[in-house]
Amino acid sequence: MTSGAVRRAQSGSPWEESFGFARAVAAGDRVLVAGTTSFRGSVLHGEGDPYEQAKAAFTGALEAIAEFGLGPESVIRTRMYLSHARDVDEAGRAHKELFDRVRPVSTLVVVEGFVDPRILVEVELEAFRG
C-alpha cells in the first residue's frame, strides 16, 4: 500500500451501515478508529459496569487496528467518553491495563449521554504505522 492510499475497515456494527461510516480508516501513517462501545452486534457487554465496558470497547478498537497489522504498541492517542464522572477511575483502570506500557496521549470527558442509555463508555483511538 502506498502512503497516499486510504483503506477502510468495517466491524459489522449496524450503525456503520445506517450512518455511513467505517470503524477504522488508514490514511498515510495513521489509523483512526471511530467511536467504539462495548456492543458486539446487539449485545452490550459489561452492562452497568464501566470497567468492563471500557475494556470491551478498547478491545473492539484494538481489533480494528489489527486489521491493518497493528497492535497496542502502535496506539498514540486515546479518547474516553463517559456518561458519569463517577466512572472515571474504573475506565482509567481498564485503560491502564491495556496501555500502561505504551503511554499514548489521552483525553477523558464526561458527556450528556449516548444513543443507548445503557452505554457508559465510548472510546476512540489513533495508531501510528510509520
Side-chain angles (χ1 to χ4, degrees):
M1 176 190 297
T2 64
S3 62
V6 174
R7 204 168 124 219
R8 291 168 176 79
Q10 303 296 140
S11 71
S13 161
W15 290 315
E16 291 171 22
E17 186 60 33
S18 64
F19 293 176
F21 72 93
R23 173 63 44 210
V25 174
D29 59 3
R30 302 282 172 95
V31 178
L32 308 172
V33 180
T36 304
T37 68
S38 63
F39 266 103
R40 296 294 174 269
S42 62
V43 177
L44 178 69
H45 292 269
E47 187 168 347
D49 186 333
Y51 166 78
E52 289 297 331
Q53 284 196 23
K55 210 166 145 184
F58 274 123
T59 298
L62 289 168
E63 289 168 357
I65 66 169
E67 296 225 9
F68 301 97
L70 302 175
E73 69 284 349
S74 301
V75 175
I76 59 173
R77 173 185 292 279
T78 61
R79 292 181 184 95
M80 294 174 276
Y81 305 97
L82 308 179
S83 57
H84 303 285
R86 67 173 185 245
D87 297 336
V88 167
D89 289 340
E90 289 302 291
R93 180 167 66 100
H95 187 278
K96 182 176 174 94
E97 286 178 13
L98 294 166
F99 301 108
D100 192 33
R101 286 189 8 249
V102 180
R103 299 286 172 124
V105 297
S106 187
T107 301
L108 186 148
V109 297
V110 177
V111 298
E112 179 79 22
F114 297 105
V115 172
D116 185 310
R118 297 172 298 160
I119 298 171
L120 303 174
V121 180
E122 185 167 338
V123 303
E124 297 177 346
L125 61 79
E126 186 173 336
F128 180 73
R129 59 183 188 160

